[in-house]
Amino acid sequence: MYTSPSGGTLGKATAVMRALNFYLSEHPVIVSFRWSHALWGSTWSFLFYSISLYVVLSIFVHLILAVLLRRGQRVPLGPLPALHSLSMSLISAIIFAGLLLSATSEIRETRWLWRRSKTPLEWLLCFPLGTRPSGRVFFWSYVFYLSRYVHMLSTVSVVLQRRKLVFFKLFYHAISTFMSFLWLEFSQSFQVLAILFTTLAFFVIYGYRFWTSVAATGARLPLVLNCQILLLGCNLVCHVGVLLLHFFTGGCNGIGAWVLNSVLNGAILMLFMRVYLGRKRKPNKNMGDYECAENKIALSCSVFCAGKEADSNKLKSG
């Protein structure tokens, strides 16, 4: 039987999509996932020890370099920063695709339980009370939580390359990892959209960082800032939606963790507005101000959805 080239291409594309759907949302490991303290990194002690080790190690490396190397001397890392950016971009893309497919499957299979009281969008914003951290969605939430530890490597890279330890970066990584843990521990509402927004932004930001590293072009701050401001705006709107749904639809699961999230958001957002608006009033300041504002934006995003500080490498050369 004759098969047209277009028909064969379509068949291959369909087979690829089916395979991706299976490995990203229908694999038994994903479907049967259940958050428990038997998993790697799932205990409170591990969380606090790892964050403490991260902070202490970063400060230790910074002090050792200050003693051993003269001021301004950098440690060459070769292609390692570019490889880190590429790996984080790919990881973010996989988490985004896997969570999107998994959320679609979960809505299709469980909608009969809550369709009279919620729409799919409301489910994404507000988990029903009694939701357990198991199944496809929480598998990808767990992967996202683990990826936070890979993000921490960027701080060491900045210390080695730029000989600068920024407190906000330490605080950012510690808080974002802590909040990702709470999402799983308390089945917090809103985490699906938060992870989707964040991983999409990570894919763009880390991909851009990889491109600027390979192409040897200066990073352009407005692109990164605009991406993060858009991410922050989306999360602000969604947080308002969670609050309204909690009071008008009978409650959202994990609202206690969400309240802690919101308190940190408010404090960081106010701090960011002070710095960013101050920079806007003084447009002739040096690029260090851009770098500081960039870190504040990243912090605001991180507490909402474990966002990422933008890359400011090569700003001076750019």
Side-chain angles (χ1 to χ4, degrees), residues 55-100:
V55 173
V56 171
L57 182 61
S58 299
I59 296 175
F60 176 75
V61 172
H62 176 67
L63 294 177
I64 286 296
L65 292 179
V67 172
L68 298 180
L69 302 180
R70 61 179 182 272
R71 188 175 182 179
Q73 184 178 358
R74 301 181 180 185
V75 178
L77 297 179
L80 292 180
L83 292 177
H84 178 263
S85 297
L86 177 61
S87 64
M88 289 311 307
S89 181
L90 294 177
I91 291 173
S92 299
I94 293 173
I95 295 175
F96 176 85
L99 184 58
L100 184 63

Side-chain angles (χ1 to χ4, degrees), residues 18-266:
R18 288 178 178 174
L20 288 175
N21 183 70
F22 173 77
Y23 285 108
L24 294 178
S25 67
E26 300 297 338
H27 194 279
V29 173
I30 298 176
V31 175
S32 62
F33 174 81
R34 182 177 298 274
W35 170 258
S36 70
H37 289 171
L39 296 172
W40 189 87
S42 61
T43 61
W44 287 95
S45 59
F46 180 91
L47 176 69
F48 288 118
Y49 287 150
S50 60
I51 291 177
S52 300
L53 178 62
Y54 159 69
V55 173
V56 171
L57 182 61
S58 299
I59 296 175
F60 176 75
V61 172
H62 176 67
L63 294 177
I64 286 296
L65 292 179
V67 172
L68 298 180
L69 302 180
R70 61 179 182 272
R71 188 175 182 179
Q73 184 178 358
R74 301 181 180 185
V75 178
L77 297 179
L80 292 180
L83 292 177
H84 178 263
S85 297
L86 177 61
S87 64
M88 289 311 307
S89 181
L90 294 177
I91 291 173
S92 299
I94 293 173
I95 295 175
F96 176 85
L99 184 58
L100 184 63
L101 292 173
S102 296
T104 303
S105 299
E106 289 288 341
I107 291 174
R108 183 177 60 250
E109 294 179 6
T110 64
R111 190 175 181 181
W112 64 275
L113 292 172
W114 43 263
R115 62 182 176 182
R116 294 183 179 180
S117 59
K118 293 181 181 291
T119 64
L121 178 59
E122 290 175 343
W123 180 84
L124 291 172
L125 288 171
C126 178
F127 287 154
L129 294 175
T131 299
R132 301 287 184 179
S134 61
R136 302 178 180 89
V137 166
F138 289 96
F139 171 84
W140 289 109
S141 182
Y142 176 60
V143 175
F144 180 81
Y145 162 67
L146 295 181
S147 72
R148 303 310 308 163
Y149 294 101
V150 183
H151 279 260
M152 291 180 178
L153 296 176
S154 63
T155 301
V156 179
S157 174
V158 171
V159 172
L160 293 174
Q161 280 193 307
R162 306 185 61 217
R163 297 290 308 282
K164 188 175 183 181
L165 180 63
V166 182
F167 166 76
F168 296 108
K169 289 187 177 182
L170 291 176
F171 183 69
Y172 151 70
H173 285 300
I175 290 299
S176 60
T177 305
F178 176 71
M179 292 307 304
S180 300
F181 180 88
L182 291 184
W183 290 353
L184 288 160
E185 187 71 10
F186 297 101
S187 303
Q188 182 184 323
S189 297
F190 175 57
Q191 62 178 284
V192 175
L193 290 179
I195 296 174
L196 287 175
F197 291 154
T198 304
T199 50
L200 180 60
F202 283 2
F203 171 72
V204 175
I205 292 173
Y206 275 113
Y208 180 72
R209 291 178 64 184
F210 174 72
W211 171 252
T212 55
S213 298
V214 173
T217 59
R220 300 189 179 186
L221 186 60
L223 173 66
V224 177
L225 287 178
N226 291 337
C227 182
Q228 292 180 324
I229 290 173
L230 179 62
L231 177 63
L232 177 60
C234 291
N235 283 282
L236 280 171
V237 173
C238 291
H239 268 256
V240 173
V242 173
L243 184 63
L244 294 175
L245 289 172
H246 177 69
F247 285 109
F248 292 104
T249 62
C252 298
N253 202 69
I255 197 64
W258 178 87
V259 170
L260 175 60
N261 193 346
S262 299
V263 170
L264 292 173
N265 287 338

